[in-house]
Amino acid sequence: MKFYKDIQVSLIRGLWSMVRKAPAMIVILGILLAAVCGISSALWLRLDSDQDNLISHELPFQKRNLEQIRNFGDQEYMFVVIRTGDTESGRENAARFAVAMAKRLEKHPELVKEVHYAMSARDMGPGVLMFASQDELREFVNLARDFGPLGRQWFEEPGLPKFLNMTSELLSGKSGSGSAGPEMFWPVMSSLDFFVGQMERTLTSGADPAIAADPVLGLDKAGIHYFYTRNGKLLIMRILPKKDFGAMDVIGPSLTFVREALDQTRAEFPEIEAGLTGRPVLSADEMHTTDQDMTIAAIISILVVGLLFMVILHGWLRPMLVMASLFCAMAWTFGFTLVTLGSLNLLSIVFALVLVGIGVDFGIHVVMRYVEATNAGMTPDEAVEESLIHTGPGVLLGALTSVCAFYAVLGQDFVGLAELGLVGGTGIIFCLISMLTVLPAMLLIAGRRNLFPSSRPRMATMPFMEKIVSRPVAVLLFFAVVTVLAVPGIKKAGFNYNLLELQAKGLESVEYEHVLINESDESTWFAVMTRPDLEGVRSLIAELKKVPSVGRVESILDYLPEGQKEKAEILRGEAKVLDGIDFDRSEFTTLEPAKLQVALANLIEALEGLEEKLFSAGAKDELNMVSAIIGKAEKCIDLIEENPSVTLNLAPMQSRLVAELSDSFKWLKEILEVRSVTPDSLPEQLRSMYIGKDGMFMVKVSPVDNVWDFDKLTSFVADLRKIDPDVTGVPVVVLESSLLMRETFLQAAGLTLVLVAAILFLTSFSISYVLLTLVPLVAGIFWLLEIMGLTGLSFNLANFFAIPVLIAIGVDGGVHFLARWKELAPGERLYHTSTPVAVGLSFCTTMIGFGGLLLAHHRGLASLGGIMVAGSATCLVGCMVVLPAVFRLIEKIKGR
């Protein structure tokens, strides 16, 4: 003990000697170093916002996760959720909404890598016919036989008039080909309506360059299947954004662009309800919210702490000196981070708020003891020396216990928290250095120049508190009774793992995540299993379908049809109907106004015949559609009659039509020739989603329940691990990360308590000293747990680190109170000294530092603010009332 005290005294006196001899040099060096660190950090310190880097890459579950991402690529999608109203017309409107939005998104491929909302026949590849049933395939073959002669007829004289005449013959039945069934009415008529409408607009306004590359008939979208949820209530668009892990907002530009496109599409379809969600969106919203909340909280903390100092210390200069010393320490910490880590992660970035709440406490003790000394008539040099010699040991010990709270997580597999521990703990050391060198030097310079106001601080002591603790037994009994009455609250204090409940209320991403959970079988999270061959995939899927917690299962088998041998027999030789046709013929008919008018008249005649049949059948909606097409066709004839030269406007449209039909006939021949579908013959887009670079096959497994519920998540992952212990994916990573975080927090809290107790014992070699110092902490934490249970405030993955911090600050208050109590002369009272004000002010700065988070929109940060404020307040009461009452009781027992 004496050895330790000798070291303390030597260190403090050495610092004082240095400060006394060259105060200006110390201040200049401190500020210059801060400037260099600040500028260097602004230029080169980067932000690593990759959440995968928060966890050690050596952990087995994280290794598997990263390997899966490397092998299959990033498949973490944004989800646009479009409500259909659960009606057929609603689904059609939702589909049009998706098409319109996709067109906007496709304009910036540098921001949006992929957009998936539907799958057409062409998207399935040349083997698309293998997905039809045998009966459907026979019907298609019969239809293809009819299209053979039509193809030959078309390629004899391709052009707009020919297309209109052939359409008229098909509609009237004059072509001799089989007619399409009633189920084809709406697709055919919708396409024809769009086509004739395009003609009318082109004749009126000329060719539109914006649609020069668009298909005329949209035949490439034939057989399109939109990604509706199983119950049909929602249409889902999956969007893969570009990511930049060097920015705070990993998907910032992409997210902004997608949201702008969504807003524009919602304005175009005001009757449609749609919103954006998905893990990357939720993460981006959380990052934006927390960044905004942290900035506001830091500004509020600095301003309110500064204002509090000005009120208590009566003036602006002393508070400014403390804050300037704090800023120096913060700048040094940024520099340290740049040199050692090179980056800040999503957790370590909050260290500045920690230093505002904790690091400034050291300066408070120095300044308050300086004020007490000057009030006693000491010179500036004597006052600074008095302050350093008497508060230095307590400040050193308090800093050491605070550093323990942060360094306790060093070396943990939770890398993000370990880096916060390194940066935060080192930042506290820098605060200690700054408050014991730069601050005393500035106090000495200002004092020698008589820069402080002659008026005394408003609150240097707290004599009124002596009356409260004058009856220690009554005080202790009162708190004992209150504590016992509130004990039931401890049983209600729990841990909430639900990350979605930490998000800010009212966020669209949160709202639509709940829509997905409550109104569909869709999930933004999926687990991943792999198998080396297709038989392994089949066997795995068969096992998964027996598991109650498993919902949707996706694999390459979804795109490999059954019964291919039998279907190949049906298609054998059918492609011959298109033999001999020159699909690449580039010549087409020169547009002649008279021929085009005749062709339009033929189309109107055929449609009028169809009108009569629909009228007889009472098909009102179908009749309205046909009438609309007739009206547009008649308008086209009128426009050509008024000015025949406008016919030339249709030349680009005719060129696109010929190219589209040529490509379609070529595609028809290609799909008729296919005899089998294998993984190798699938389009690259599908292969890349389910086949890894190493040839392994991915199976995506979505949960049937809400995996944001931790119990259901645990059950889901446990069920999957029974089948495959190496399962990975978001559910596994979230589960393991949450458990790791909780374990790390518990270990940090336990280790901090052990280290603090060991340090206290080694500095005193007295069990009673350790127990007395821990009184505020034990009382404060116990009351905090009671308050949490009674108010419904839970621990969560955003606030649990508050406990190690509270251990540090709770002990710090006990250290200073106990040290000053031991210094008291006979008859002198604790509350007649400046220490209670300094300790109270320290607790208040911590409450203010974290109290700004109470205004946070992010519920996790708000809960962190709540726990830190409540915990600081309970530790404050334990330190300011209970511990002095214990001192008084000890004095009475000893007869002092």
Side-chain angles (χ1 to χ4, degrees):
M1 181 176 176
K2 185 176 184 303
F3 174 73
Y4 172 77
K5 283 189 174 181
D6 288 343
I7 292 177
Q8 268 191 335
V9 171
S10 298
L11 177 61
I12 298 299
R13 290 203 173 276
L15 289 174
W16 161 240
S17 176
M18 183 175 63
V19 168
R20 179 174 57 81
K21 291 178 181 178
M25 182 62 68
I26 290 174
V27 173
I28 291 170
L29 288 176
I31 293 174
L32 282 177
L33 180 60
V36 170
C37 290
I39 294 171
S40 301
S41 300
L43 292 174
W44 295 298
L45 184 64
R46 62 185 181 87
L47 173 70
D48 180 6
S49 54
D50 188 348
Q51 293 185 4
D52 287 328
N53 290 338
L54 295 178
I55 305 296
S56 171
H57 292 185
E58 298 305 312
L59 290 171
F61 79 89
Q62 185 69 332
K63 270 187 177 180
R64 290 192 293 270
N65 175 55
L66 296 175
E67 177 57 34
Q68 173 253 317
I69 294 173
R70 283 191 292 268
N71 197 17
F72 293 94
D74 179 19
Q75 296 192 29
E76 196 172 65
Y77 294 97
M78 299 176 178
F79 286 70
V80 175
V81 181
I82 309 169
R83 291 181 184 269
T84 67
D86 201 17
T87 64
E88 190 58 39
S89 61
R91 282 186 274 276
E92 291 175 4
N93 288 334
R96 285 195 286 271
F97 183 101
V99 171
M101 183 165 179
K103 285 182 178 178
R104 290 186 168 95
L105 295 177
E106 288 165 2
K107 293 178 181 178
H108 288 279
E110 75 280 4
L111 295 175
V112 174
K113 295 181 180 179
E114 299 174 16
V115 181
H116 307 286
Y117 63 95
M119 183 167 285
S120 67
R122 293 216 172 190
D123 294 330
M124 299 294 289
V128 62
L129 292 180
M130 290 294 174
F131 292 90
S133 67
Q134 292 186 33
D135 290 339
E136 290 171 335
L137 197 55
R138 291 188 182 95
E139 288 181 12
F140 185 85
V141 165
N142 292 331
L143 193 61
R145 289 171 182 167
D146 292 335
F147 270 95
L150 289 174
R152 297 180 192 281
Q153 183 183 350
W154 163 255
F155 284 103
E156 289 173 1
E157 192 182 8
L160 270 175
K162 187 69 171 180
F163 176 78
L164 292 171
N165 286 326
M166 290 178 67
T167 303
S168 303
E169 291 175 4
L170 285 170
L171 291 173
S172 62
K174 296 177 182 179
S175 67
S177 300
S179 58
E183 70 279 359
M184 293 299 294
F185 175 87
W186 283 107
V188 171
M189 286 298 127
S190 296
S191 181
L192 185 59
D193 179 60
F194 177 73
F195 176 77
V196 178
Q198 261 193 301
M199 287 185 64
E200 180 192 349
R201 288 190 296 274
T202 303
L203 288 168
T204 303
S205 308
D208 185 357
I211 61 170
D214 290 351
V216 178
L217 297 173
L219 295 177
D220 59 326
K221 299 299 182 184
I224 193 166
H225 168 72
Y226 291 93
F227 295 157
Y228 297 106
T229 53
R230 193 171 299 172
N231 58 17
K233 292 183 177 181
L234 306 172
L235 192 159
I236 307 298
M237 296 182 72
R238 298 183 184 185
I239 302 167
L240 188 63
K242 179 186 176 183
K243 294 183 177 179
D244 178 8
F245 292 114
M248 173 75 78
D249 254 343
V250 176
I251 59 169
S254 299
L255 181 58
T256 299
F257 168 61
V258 171
R259 280 185 162 147
E260 287 174 355
L262 181 58
D263 288 339
Q264 291 167 3
T265 310
R266 281 191 288 221
E268 184 180 345
F269 298 87
E271 74 282 3
I272 297 290
E273 292 182 41
L276 186 66
T277 188
R279 192 168 183 239
V281 182
L282 288 165
S283 297
D285 284 348
E286 183 173 40
M287 179 59 63
H288 175 73
T289 304
T290 53
D291 180 48
Q292 200 173 49
D293 290 338
M294 291 293 292
T295 301
I296 293 172
I299 293 172
I300 290 174
S301 301
I302 292 171
L303 291 177
V304 176
V305 167
L307 182 62
L308 180 64
F309 283 178
M310 290 174 67
V311 171
I312 298 297
L313 299 177
H314 194 190
W316 61 269
L317 184 54
R318 295 186 190 93
M320 285 293 293
L321 298 183
V322 175
M323 299 308 290
S325 303
L326 175 64
F327 290 148
C328 282
M330 291 173 68
W332 300 344
T333 308
F334 273 112
F336 169 81
T337 307
L338 175 63
V339 172
T340 56
L341 301 176
S343 64
L344 288 168
N345 63 50
L346 299 178
L347 293 178
S348 60
I349 197 171
V350 306
F351 82 89
L353 196 63
V354 171
L355 298 188
V356 173
I358 298 176
V360 76
D361 294 352
F362 311 141
I364 293 172
H365 289 287
V366 171
V367 169
M368 291 306 299
R369 194 59 177 256
Y370 174 83
V371 168
E372 182 181 342
T374 55
N375 286 348
M378 293 184 184
T379 65
D381 288 52
E382 293 170 338
V384 172
E385 181 180 9
E386 171 80 6
S387 176
L388 281 177
I389 297 302
H390 289 282
T391 63
V395 167
L396 280 171
L397 188 56
L400 190 57
T401 58
S402 297
V403 170
C404 285
F406 287 89
Y407 279 3
V409 296
L410 294 182
Q412 294 285 350
D413 290 324
F414 199 141
V415 176
L417 196 59
E419 290 186 0
L420 170 60
L422 176 63
V423 175
T426 306
I428 290 174
I429 292 174
F430 284 141
C431 285
L432 174 68
I433 294 171
S434 181
M435 298 304 176
L436 292 182
T437 57
V438 177
L439 177 60
M442 290 191 292
L443 286 173
L444 193 59
I445 293 170
R448 287 174 177 176
R449 298 185 179 184
N450 198 27
L451 297 179
F452 293 120
S454 57
S455 58
R456 297 287 182 257
R458 299 180 187 278
M459 192 174 181
T461 60
M462 302 172 67
F464 61 91
M465 289 294 297
E466 287 295 337
K467 294 181 180 179
I468 296 176
V469 298
S470 60
R471 297 181 179 179
V473 175
V475 169
L476 296 176
L477 281 175
F478 170 78
F479 281 106
V481 170
V482 172
T483 301
V484 170
L485 291 176
V487 162
I490 290 184
K491 298 178 181 179
K492 299 178 182 179
F495 199 100
N496 183 5
Y497 287 97
N498 193 321
L499 299 175
L500 197 59
E501 292 181 1
L502 303 186
Q503 292 272 25
K505 291 182 178 180
L507 287 176
E508 180 186 80
S509 54
V510 174
E511 176 189 343
Y512 276 86
E513 185 72 17
H514 282 298
V515 169
L516 278 177
I517 293 168
N518 299 326
E519 299 184 22
S520 76
D521 61 337
E522 187 75 37
S523 174
T524 57
W525 292 5
F526 59 85
V528 173
M529 296 180 178
T530 57
R531 290 295 182 269
D533 52 50
L534 293 179
E535 284 307 312
V537 173
R538 289 190 180 93
S539 176
L540 175 60
I541 291 174
E543 286 188 81
L544 290 170
K545 287 183 176 179
K546 299 175 185 177
V547 180
S549 62
V550 170
R552 185 194 300 263
V553 179
E554 302 174 57
S555 75
I556 197 71
L557 292 182
D558 296 337
Y559 305 95
L560 297 178
E562 301 289 337
Q564 295 192 47
K565 185 177 179 181
E566 294 79 2
K567 293 173 184 177
E569 287 297 319
I570 298 173
L571 290 174
R572 187 180 300 279
E574 295 300 335
K576 292 179 180 179
V577 299
L578 297 173
D579 283 351
I581 298 176
D582 181 10
F583 298 115
D584 297 319
R585 178 175 175 176
S586 57
E587 304 89 5
F588 43 84
T589 305
T590 302
L591 282 171
E592 298 178 16
K595 283 187 177 182
L596 193 55
Q597 284 179 300
V598 170
L600 285 166
N602 291 337
L603 178 64
I604 291 170
E605 182 181 352
L607 289 171
E608 286 174 343
L610 183 59
E611 258 190 323
E612 292 179 8
K613 295 176 183 178
L614 294 172
F615 181 79
S616 300
K620 185 178 179 181
D621 291 339
E622 289 84 350
L623 187 62
N624 289 336
M625 168 65 83
V626 173
S627 297
I629 299 173
I630 291 173
K632 292 175 182 177
E634 289 174 341
K635 178 66 174 175
C636 289
I637 293 174
D638 292 341
L639 289 168
I640 295 171
E641 284 181 353
E642 291 174 9
N643 183 8
S645 64
V646 299
T647 307
L648 296 175
N649 292 346
L650 296 172
M653 183 177 175
Q654 176 174 258
S655 177
R656 287 157 50 211
L657 173 67
V658 171
E660 185 176 350
L661 286 175
S662 298
D663 186 56
S664 297
F665 276 105
K666 189 188 295 184
W667 167 255
L668 177 60
K669 183 175 176 61
E670 187 179 354
I671 64 176
L672 287 171
E673 290 174 339
V674 171
R675 295 292 178 267
S676 66
V677 178
T678 65
D680 291 337
S681 65
L682 289 172
E684 178 58 28
Q685 175 184 330
L686 290 177
R687 285 177 47 79
S688 63
M689 289 177 66
Y690 297 102
I691 305 177
K693 296 173 183 176
D694 61 356
M696 294 289 285
F697 294 94
M698 174 195 282
V699 177
K700 298 179 181 179
V701 189
S702 297
V704 71
D705 291 318
N706 174 17
V707 287
W708 291 97
D709 183 314
F710 195 73
D711 291 335
K712 292 176 180 177
L713 173 63
T714 304
S715 176
F716 175 63
V717 174
D719 288 343
L720 296 185
R721 280 177 167 163
K722 292 175 185 176
I723 297 173
D724 184 355
D726 291 332
V727 63
T728 185
V730 173
V732 177
V733 172
V734 170
L735 173 66
E736 292 290 353
S737 299
S738 300
L739 293 175
L740 177 63
M741 186 181 291
R742 182 172 182 267
E743 182 182 348
T744 302
F745 284 154
L746 288 172
Q747 289 179 357
L751 183 58
T752 300
L753 194 57
V754 170
L755 289 174
V756 166
I759 290 169
L760 293 174
F761 180 76
L762 291 174
T763 58
S764 64
F765 289 97
S766 168
I767 297 295
S768 61
Y769 174 84
V770 175
L771 294 177
L772 284 173
T773 306
L774 293 178
V775 165
L777 172 65
V778 174
I781 296 296
F782 197 84
W783 295 336
L784 170 64
L785 295 175
E786 292 181 326
I787 291 171
M788 289 177 64
L790 294 174
T791 59
L793 183 62
S794 299
F795 286 116
N796 56 53
L797 298 177
N799 65 29
F800 201 77
F801 193 63
I803 295 301
V805 177
L806 287 173
I807 291 174
I809 64 174
V811 170
D812 183 65
V815 166
H816 286 287
F817 258 62
L818 190 57
R820 193 58 187 265
W821 179 58
K822 288 193 171 186
E823 289 181 19
L824 295 177
E828 189 179 6
R829 291 302 180 192
L830 182 62
Y831 280 106
H832 291 154
T833 70
S834 64
T835 298
V837 175
V839 170
L841 200 53
S842 297
F843 276 110
C844 286
T845 57
T846 302
M847 285 189 279
I848 292 168
F850 288 93
L853 294 177
L854 292 172
L855 303 176
H857 295 89
H858 187 272
R859 285 176 284 176
L861 283 183
S863 69
L864 172 60
I867 286 182
M868 284 302 300
V869 169
S872 299
T874 54
C875 287
L876 173 63
V877 173
C879 192
M880 299 287 284
V881 181
V882 176
L883 185 57
V886 172
F887 290 160
R888 280 296 187 94
L889 192 60
I890 292 173
E891 290 172 0
K892 285 190 175 183
I893 293 173
K894 290 184 176 181
R896 287 175 59 182

